[in-house]
Amino acid sequence: MRWQDDPVLRIEHLTMRFGGLTAIDDLSFAAGRGDITALIGPNGAGKTTVFNCITGFYKPTEGRILLHTGAPDVLQETESLTRTGRRWLKQERGALYLLERMPENEVCAVAHVARTFQNIRLFGGMTVLENLMVAQHNALMRASLMTVGGLLGLPGFRRSEKASIDKAKHWLERINLIDRADDPAGDLPYGAQRRLEIARAMCTDPVLLCLDEPAAGLNPRESAELNQLLRDIRDEHKTSVLLIEHDMSVVMQISDHVVVLDYGRKISDGTPEEVKNDPKVIAAYLGVDDEEVDQVEGEVGR
Amino acid sequence: MSTTGTHPAQPSRLAHAAKDALAAGLIGLAIFTPLVGLQTVQEPSGLVLNTRFGTVLALAAVAAAMRFVFALLMSGEKGTRLADRIGASVRGAMPSGAGGRIGSYLGYALLGFALFLPFIVSALFTSSERYLIDIAILVVTYVMLGWGLNIVVGLAGLLDLGYVAFYAVGAYSYALLSTNFDLGFWICLPLAGILAAFWGVILGFPVLRLRGDYLAIVTLAFGEIIRVVLLNWKDFTGGPDGINRIPRPTFFGIDFTRGEGGFADFFGLDYASIHRIIFLYYVILALALLTNFVTMRLRRLPIGRAWEALREDEIACRSLGINTTNTKLTAFSIGAMFGGFAGAFFATRQGFISPESFTFIESAIILAIVVLGGLGSQIGVVLAATVMIGGFEVFRQAEEYRMLIFGLLMVVIMVWRPRGLVSTRHPSVFLKERKAVSADLVAQGEGH
């Protein structure tokens, strides 16, 4: 299994408490490199909290969140890096990032983990193209020599600005929004806004893309298009995907690996097929104890 | 209010309007009795209290009657539609996308007018030349301040109620540097800008995590702290006496004085005191145009786009790897820098400054210019500053009614165009065509 042999993300003993409430309780799992990993569970299971911990929006109470790129032997440095108190280790053969120590903007800018939000967060008053340009802020900022070069109109900046526009165009063509590039993002229909948010996250060149319920509110056709888009992201752009999803057709069709949460604990972890038949998962979704599953299933006529 | 249909609702509408009118009349009585009903008259025996209850009753009756008519017209579905229609017809009078091409032509026309203004004025209004150019200088100063504040409030969406503090820092920087160290205006100008930018960063740090009302209160307090320090640090700033004999600007080393070596002598002109005024006008115009140029340029750079993205959604910004701390601080410091430039100009123009010139009302006027003009709109700031500062002068003959007219004008503009005179946003980059973004979609940022 790739998530055991070559994980891009490893979550170890993650615990998040809000006052007396334990939202995540000693959670450990891994996401394989080049996999689409789905994080599922009933409402209130703590899925979005896990996302917020990974992407730096929350500081976990306990635990380690390790992102690894490059050669596997860099992983040997994990313990020594953790002891130093530094946030990351970059070597020629690869890099390690301790995401739990990084603020949210560094998680994206340094560790290259991008995310989308459950309630779409686009820049509604800016055009579709501008949204994708904002996503390339850090690269453009370097190219404009921290604004000074851009203010003087140096050719280097103009070249990289053109490259950014080309990249944005590529993504707009990919998500079928090229004709609406100059329209405000707030004017787009819901499904298009979802696609645009994913394209915007991809414009930051992520190693790991975290999607919070990307299929929510999509019709079946849009949902099928989304599946294709996510597969392409995995296969063509070599970006690993971690997604929270309630739509089981999306989860079962595209994910390589499914992790199930309930009350902040992991109750199942495996391929979609394994998870689907796990009595614990069925019990959690039906809201009953493990022993009663057969009885309840009989009642609901499965 | 009854909505069960027009006919059965008729009596209830009448009753409602009557109740409304009665309430208005009572409020009118309560207000007019002390204001109009009681009058003190100076007589040989001392102060005598006159009563004018007849007038009070008449005024209250007028208020009640007007309220009655208004309530009848505006109540019920018909009234709502009427109100909508009035609003729509008023709005229709100006093309909704008043920006766009019309906006840019207007911009060039205004620029041309501004460049030749002193000549137009001296040709047409010889007698009031000095007065008119003085007003023009004042208007352009406020245009510049509005443009500076527009970076913070309009682009980055951070409500700043203490902008006058940077104006004060700029003015005192120039005044102190020039009187203590004999430095010239052109050397002090960048120094004043740098010092103001530095104070912008100092203000920026504590407010990084604040939003909405809290941000407004802290920036307001900051403005007042600066003023109070200037007022009380007597050894350094002269306290309430201020600083006088601030050197006048020179034409690159040539003084505007009569006689040998002066500006008029050097260029072989007859001496006239207006030369210096015209020169001051061009200095502030150049500074304002620099502000505009830099702002327009920055908007198309990643930093400007990050400011606007910050106004739209700060959390999304952070998720895209944008360092919002730096982004906010640059907005504060660049906005403050232009405030500092304007302050240095103010000091050299007046020749005398004191903390009185930097009260909260100044911040409020500058903010009103930005809001009235339309957040983020450069041409809107010009229009609003002309209306607010120029209009204030035009109504000088109206004497005590000036504030009333002024207030009414602001209310009318805000009813007519709630998002400011020019409320559409122009994208910073486009593929095929630059379409204006309607104001309804543009977020107003924190604290609005």
Side-chain angles (χ1 to χ4, degrees):
Chain A
M1 292 300 151
R2 203 153 34 196
W3 61 90
Q4 284 152 356
D5 306 334
D6 183 17
V8 66
L9 178 79
R10 218 163 67 192
I11 291 177
E12 294 160 300
H13 305 291
L14 183 70
T15 300
M16 181 79 212
R17 292 193 198 94
F18 299 101
L21 176 85
T22 306
I24 308 171
D25 190 6
D26 196 23
L27 173 73
S28 301
F29 72 89
R33 191 179 313 283
D35 272 355
I36 294 179
T37 308
L39 195 59
I40 65 171
N43 286 331
K47 306 181 293 292
T48 301
T49 309
V50 173
F51 257 45
N52 283 339
C53 288
I54 295 172
T55 50
F57 281 84
Y58 290 164
K59 279 265 159 289
T61 319
E62 285 167 29
R64 180 164 68 191
I65 305 170
L66 179 78
L67 186 87
H68 165 235
T69 57
D73 51 343
V74 190
L75 277 172
Q76 292 158 2
E77 308 283 335
T78 308
E79 294 305 323
S80 59
L81 171 65
T82 308
R83 272 193 296 275
T84 58
R86 277 183 293 144
R87 285 169 293 183
W88 63 77
L89 172 87
K90 277 186 194 170
Q91 292 180 342
E92 262 175 47
R93 50 199 171 126
L96 291 176
Y97 304 92
L98 295 174
L99 301 184
E100 80 279 6
R101 295 180 179 176
M102 299 160 79
E104 57 269 43
N105 59 311
E106 257 181 29
V107 169
C108 179
V110 180
H112 293 287
V113 175
R115 74 169 291 179
T116 64
F117 295 87
Q118 199 171 348
N119 46 342
I120 305 171
R121 283 183 175 274
L122 287 172
F123 306 121
M126 302 175 85
T127 65
V128 170
L129 179 64
E130 282 181 302
N131 268 273
L132 300 186
M133 296 295 280
V134 171
Q136 303 175 58
H137 175 80
N138 286 314
L140 280 171
M141 206 62 184
R142 278 190 294 276
S144 74
L145 306 175
M146 295 302 151
T147 303
V148 179
L151 212 51
L152 300 173
L154 296 185
F157 172 67
R158 270 187 252 141
R159 265 199 307 276
S160 54
E161 190 177 34
K162 189 157 180 311
S164 301
I165 293 177
D166 286 341
K167 187 178 186 180
K169 260 157 95 177
H170 163 81
W171 277 105
L172 289 175
E173 271 157 14
R174 183 65 199 75
I175 60 171
N176 288 330
L177 283 179
I178 190 78
D179 295 330
R180 305 210 56 179
D182 298 325
D183 288 337
D187 257 356
L188 295 180
Y190 190 82
Q193 292 197 3
R194 282 254 174 241
R195 295 204 301 277
L196 178 59
E197 207 191 12
I198 294 172
R200 188 179 69 178
M202 284 307 292
C203 277
T204 65
D205 291 327
V207 173
L208 176 69
L209 177 66
C210 299
L211 305 171
D212 199 344
E213 297 202 20
L218 300 190
N219 64 34
R221 198 174 58 86
E222 288 173 326
S223 191
E225 281 173 9
L226 176 78
N227 287 356
Q228 194 50 47
L229 176 65
L230 295 185
R231 281 199 201 100
D232 288 352
I233 285 174
R234 174 188 64 186
D235 300 337
E236 290 171 22
H237 294 272
K238 302 200 168 38
T239 300
S240 313
V241 179
L242 179 66
L243 59 94
I244 292 177
E245 193 46 75
H246 278 300
D247 186 337
M248 283 304 146
S249 70
V250 175
V251 172
M252 293 304 157
Q253 278 171 35
I254 65 167
S255 30
D256 305 296
H257 174 198
V258 180
V259 177
V260 191
L261 294 191
D262 193 21
Y263 294 112
R265 290 161 185 272
K266 185 169 82 174
I267 56 171
S268 186
D269 186 347
T271 61
E273 212 40 50
E274 286 164 9
V275 166
K276 197 154 66 177
N277 299 319
D278 189 333
K280 275 191 191 153
V281 177
I282 299 163
Y285 268 88
L286 293 175
V288 294
D289 288 336
D290 291 359
E291 299 80 52
E292 300 168 39
V293 167
D294 287 338
Q295 184 201 337
V296 175
E297 278 186 344
E299 282 168 20
V300 299
R302 185 178 135 143
Chain B
M1 208 181 291
S2 165
T3 51
T4 46
T6 337
H7 289 292
Q10 207 71 15
S12 92
R13 266 176 64 190
L14 268 179
H16 178 80
K19 226 191 284 173
D20 227 27
L22 189 69
L26 287 176
I27 294 172
L29 270 185
I31 293 174
F32 291 130
T33 306
L35 283 180
V36 182
L38 304 173
Q39 187 189 27
T40 52
V41 183
Q42 185 86 49
E43 292 205 355
S45 55
L47 272 183
V48 173
L49 198 65
N50 263 0
T51 53
R52 297 189 296 184
F53 291 124
T55 327
V56 171
L57 277 179
L59 281 172
V62 169
M66 284 176 72
R67 183 71 214 177
F68 183 74
V69 174
F70 181 78
L72 264 190
L73 276 178
M74 291 303 165
S75 70
E77 282 170 49
K78 221 191 252 170
T80 323
R81 240 180 295 136
L82 181 73
D84 280 349
R85 229 181 13 244
I86 294 170
S89 67
V90 170
R91 253 171 262 131
M94 195 157 169
S96 61
R101 228 170 300 143
I102 304 166
S104 73
Y105 288 148
L106 183 66
Y108 286 120
L110 282 174
L111 176 65
F113 178 69
L115 283 176
F116 294 104
L117 182 114
F119 302 105
I120 297 170
V121 166
S122 23
L124 295 179
F125 311 96
T126 324
S127 57
S128 52
E129 189 182 28
R130 184 177 173 147
Y131 168 68
L132 287 175
I133 295 180
D134 263 335
I135 292 178
I137 291 176
L138 198 65
V139 169
V140 179
T141 310
Y142 278 95
V143 168
M144 177 169 178
L145 287 168
W147 277 340
L149 185 62
N150 210 359
I151 295 174
V152 184
V153 180
L155 294 183
L158 303 160
L159 185 58
D160 185 352
L161 289 180
Y163 191 64
V164 77
F166 308 122
Y167 192 41
V169 168
Y172 272 86
S173 303
Y174 172 62
L176 291 169
L177 285 171
S178 61
T179 51
N180 291 333
F181 301 108
D182 270 336
L183 293 176
F185 177 71
W186 297 105
I187 295 170
C188 290
L189 186 71
L191 290 176
I194 290 167
L195 281 167
F198 169 73
W199 281 98
V201 172
I202 295 204
L203 166 66
F205 266 111
V207 302
L208 278 174
R209 291 180 182 283
L210 301 181
R211 291 158 185 282
D213 307 348
Y214 307 101
L215 177 69
I217 291 169
V218 174
T219 51
L220 172 76
F222 180 80
E224 286 300 285
I225 288 170
I226 295 275
R227 189 179 64 84
V228 170
V229 167
L230 292 176
L231 198 60
N232 289 297
W233 195 356
K234 205 154 189 305
D235 303 335
F236 185 57
T237 64
D241 302 336
I243 301 172
N244 57 14
R245 292 169 195 248
I246 300 167
R248 300 299 193 156
T250 56
F251 186 80
F252 305 103
I254 304 166
D255 282 325
F256 286 90
T257 48
R258 194 190 287 274
E260 203 71 10
F263 175 80
D265 181 51
F266 190 85
F267 288 95
L269 301 166
D270 290 334
Y271 174 79
S273 59
I274 195 79
H275 289 159
R276 180 169 58 216
I277 311 290
I278 293 176
F279 175 66
L280 281 172
Y281 173 78
Y282 279 114
V283 169
I284 188 65
L285 187 64
L287 285 173
L289 290 176
L290 176 79
T291 311
N292 184 42
F293 174 76
V294 171
T295 312
M296 299 298 274
R297 200 79 199 234
L298 285 174
R299 261 202 72 199
R300 293 189 173 81
L301 290 179
I303 184 70
R305 251 178 244 133
W307 286 339
E308 292 200 77
L310 192 69
R311 176 192 67 204
E312 297 285 327
D313 193 327
E314 187 177 340
I315 289 176
C317 271
R318 287 210 292 267
S319 83
L320 295 172
I322 294 174
N323 186 332
T324 48
T325 306
N326 291 352
T327 309
K328 282 185 186 181
L329 289 181
T330 45
F332 269 118
S333 60
I334 292 179
M337 181 180 77
F338 290 121
F341 287 158
F345 172 80
F346 176 76
T348 190
R349 174 187 167 225
Q350 298 285 37
F352 164 76
I353 52 168
S354 76
E356 295 241 308
S357 311
F358 308 106
T359 49
F360 170 65
I361 190 73
E362 291 295 318
S363 291
I365 289 176
I366 303 165
L367 186 67
I369 287 174
V370 174
V371 173
L372 220 59
L375 290 172
S377 160
Q378 298 291 92
I379 194 87
V381 166
V382 177
L383 296 177
T386 313
V387 169
M388 296 239 339
I389 308 300
F392 204 63
E393 291 296 325
V394 168
F395 291 112
R396 199 173 269 285
Q397 287 96 325
E399 291 175 0
E400 66 261 45
Y401 297 104
R402 193 154 73 134
M403 279 316 254
L404 194 71
I405 295 171
F406 190 57
L408 257 177
L409 196 69
M410 285 185 69
V411 171
V412 168
I413 292 179
M414 279 346 268
V415 169
W416 172 42
R417 299 188 78 87
R419 300 285 298 250
L421 291 171
V422 182
S423 49
T424 47
R425 179 184 170 271
H426 293 279
S428 60
V429 60
F430 61 96
L431 273 191
K432 292 187 193 72
E433 58 169 323
R434 194 184 292 275
K435 298 181 195 164
V437 177
S438 140
D440 310 330
L441 293 166
V442 179
Q444 289 179 309
E446 295 168 4
H448 295 280

